[in-house]
Amino acid sequence: MKKIGFVCMLAFLLLSCKKEGNTKMLYLAHTLPQTHPVHKGILEFQKALDEKSKGKMQVKIFPDGQLGSEREVLELLQIGSVAITKVSAATLSNFVPEYQVLGIPYVFRDKQHQFDVLEGEVGKSILAKGSKLWLRGLVYYDAGSRSFYTANKAIRKPEDLNGLKIRVMNDQMSINMVTAMGGSATPMSYGELYTAIQQGVVDGAENNPPSFVSSNHYEISKYYTIDEHSSVPDVLLIGTKFWDKLSDQEKIWVQEAADKSSKAQKKFWQESVDESMEIAKKAGVEIILPEKSLFENKSKSVLETFIKEHPEMTEIINSIKNQ
């Protein structure tokens, strides 16, 4: 707690002054490494805003978790110490419940459907929901789709998960999903996962291809089943305490730069996926392309449970399904 308080105070002292001469500086913090496709998208935002404003608005980026975890940076955004950040919609759902809908298994039919929803009325409506908590969404970034990978047993159908311990995030929806498919959901720190798979504490896990490779989990996992059960996006956010001080023209510049960066980031992400899959294949990982409908049918109880617990979300879910 002392460390968090120190980081917050230091950030406030260093970043509260955001005007340098005639240039308005936006401080942007995130937790990802500079090689990540999302960081490359953020660089596009930085470049686009500088160009659109003719240098009147610039972005200073603090990557690699320099200013804290996703949750800590969100709190810095709320008090106005940082202007912009990128977080997972899963993290954001702790602040804005509507983001939970985006994590429901197979809520999106495919990648194009996901982009159509996020860039349409439903997606924009969810982005706006955070404004009451000083967290205004600008755009979504592609964070890929999560799939199962295992060390010793191939998963070709949901029944193959029976008896397997699968590491999941400490998130009830993820736990419910693996349980519904027949596996034994095992919440665990991501940093402990490599050793846990290696020692047989868990049989496997689930994540997107770039994470599967960058974590080196492909070294100890022989099978990767591309069932793509969930596609939780990242979100580029601006604090309303900063946003509300911008002129109408400055707001247009920021939004247009964010939109441009989102399009570029999707290409960076796909390039990263293609590269990661090639690395995994060359390392001897068997890439399995299962019948996804089998996994979707097994996970339907997750959606049913969610609607029972959150009936107020039914309209949003129906809008997504009907788009």
Side-chain angles (χ1 to χ4, degrees):
M1 291 299 294
K2 289 182 179 179
K3 181 180 178 182
I4 293 173
F6 174 77
V7 169
C8 290
M9 181 176 293
L10 179 62
F12 181 79
L13 291 173
L14 292 176
L15 307 181
S16 58
C17 183
K18 297 182 174 67
K19 195 159 186 179
E20 300 179 5
N22 294 322
T23 299
K24 192 166 288 186
M25 185 68 70
L26 287 75
Y27 293 93
L28 189 160
H30 68 81
T31 60
L32 298 172
Q34 296 178 56
T35 54
H36 198 282
V38 169
H39 179 77
K40 293 178 182 178
I42 288 171
L43 290 177
E44 288 294 314
F45 172 70
Q46 180 186 52
K47 178 182 176 182
L49 186 58
D50 181 49
E51 291 176 348
K52 288 179 180 296
S53 69
K54 294 181 170 56
K56 294 178 182 177
M57 300 186 77
Q58 295 184 0
V59 179
K60 184 173 178 60
I61 303 170
F62 296 83
D64 299 306
Q66 292 178 27
L67 298 183
S69 67
E70 285 194 336
R71 188 179 184 94
E72 290 165 1
V73 176
L74 281 174
E75 292 169 353
L76 291 178
L77 218 70
Q78 288 179 311
I79 65 175
S81 297
V82 173
I84 299 179
T85 190
K86 185 291 310 171
V87 298
S88 169
T91 302
L92 201 50
S93 67
N94 294 313
F95 295 78
V96 185
E98 286 80 2
Y99 281 102
Q100 294 179 71
V101 172
L102 305 181
I104 295 173
Y106 298 103
V107 70
F108 302 115
R109 293 188 294 275
D110 51 36
K111 185 66 71 176
Q112 188 57 55
H113 179 225
Q114 181 190 20
F115 291 161
D116 289 343
V117 169
L118 297 181
E119 294 168 4
E121 183 178 337
V122 173
K124 291 178 180 178
S125 172
I126 295 175
L127 287 176
K129 294 286 185 182
S131 294
K132 58 188 177 184
L133 294 172
W134 307 287
L135 301 170
R136 179 187 177 88
L138 290 170
V139 291
Y140 297 94
Y141 283 158
D142 190 1
S145 298
R146 301 178 76 92
S147 294
F148 293 113
Y149 54 89
T150 46
N152 299 308
K153 180 183 177 182
I155 299 172
R156 304 183 191 279
K157 54 187 185 300
E159 289 72 21
D160 292 330
L161 282 162
N162 292 343
L164 296 187
K165 293 182 180 179
I166 303 296
R167 181 269 176 185
V168 295
M169 296 181 290
N170 191 14
D171 167 74
Q172 194 58 51
M173 192 174 296
S174 298
I175 294 171
N176 291 347
M177 178 198 66
V178 170
T179 301
M181 290 186 185
S184 176
T186 308
M188 178 183 295
S189 166
Y190 192 62
E192 299 173 0
L193 184 51
Y194 187 101
T195 302
I197 295 175
Q198 193 175 43
Q199 296 180 349
V201 176
V202 294
D203 299 292
E206 44 90 50
N207 217 322
N208 57 62
S211 296
F212 176 56
V213 170
S214 65
S215 63
N216 295 321
H217 293 169
Y218 73 99
E219 297 174 348
I220 52 175
S221 301
K222 298 178 182 178
Y223 307 100
Y224 193 18
T225 303
I226 310 300
D227 66 298
E228 299 182 321
H229 45 258
S230 65
S231 303
V232 181
D234 281 338
V235 184
L236 189 67
L237 297 160
I238 187 168
T240 57
K241 290 192 174 181
F242 188 86
W243 175 264
D244 291 342
K245 295 178 181 178
L246 300 180
S247 67
D248 291 343
Q249 181 59 69
E250 289 171 335
K251 290 177 180 178
I252 291 172
W253 288 334
V254 170
Q255 187 62 61
E256 287 181 348
D259 292 339
K260 185 175 182 180
S261 73
S262 178
K263 292 179 181 178
Q265 189 272 336
K266 290 181 178 67
K267 295 179 181 178
F268 295 140
W269 183 268
Q270 189 56 52
E271 290 171 358
S272 181
V273 168
D274 294 342
E275 180 182 353
S276 298
M277 293 296 280
E278 281 302 311
I279 292 173
K281 289 176 184 176
K282 289 180 180 178
V285 176
E286 181 182 350
I287 307 299
I288 300 166
L289 303 175
E291 178 56 55
K292 294 181 185 179
S293 62
L294 299 177
F295 292 84
E296 181 177 1
N297 290 335
K298 273 285 189 177
S299 66
K300 283 183 177 179
S301 62
V302 179
L303 173 59
E304 294 167 358
T305 299
F306 182 80
I307 290 176
K308 286 181 182 178
E309 295 176 349
H310 306 277
E312 72 281 4
M313 302 289 185
T314 304
E315 184 177 350
I316 297 176
I317 294 169
N318 288 339
S319 294
I320 292 174
K321 293 287 188 180
N322 294 331
Q323 184 163 331

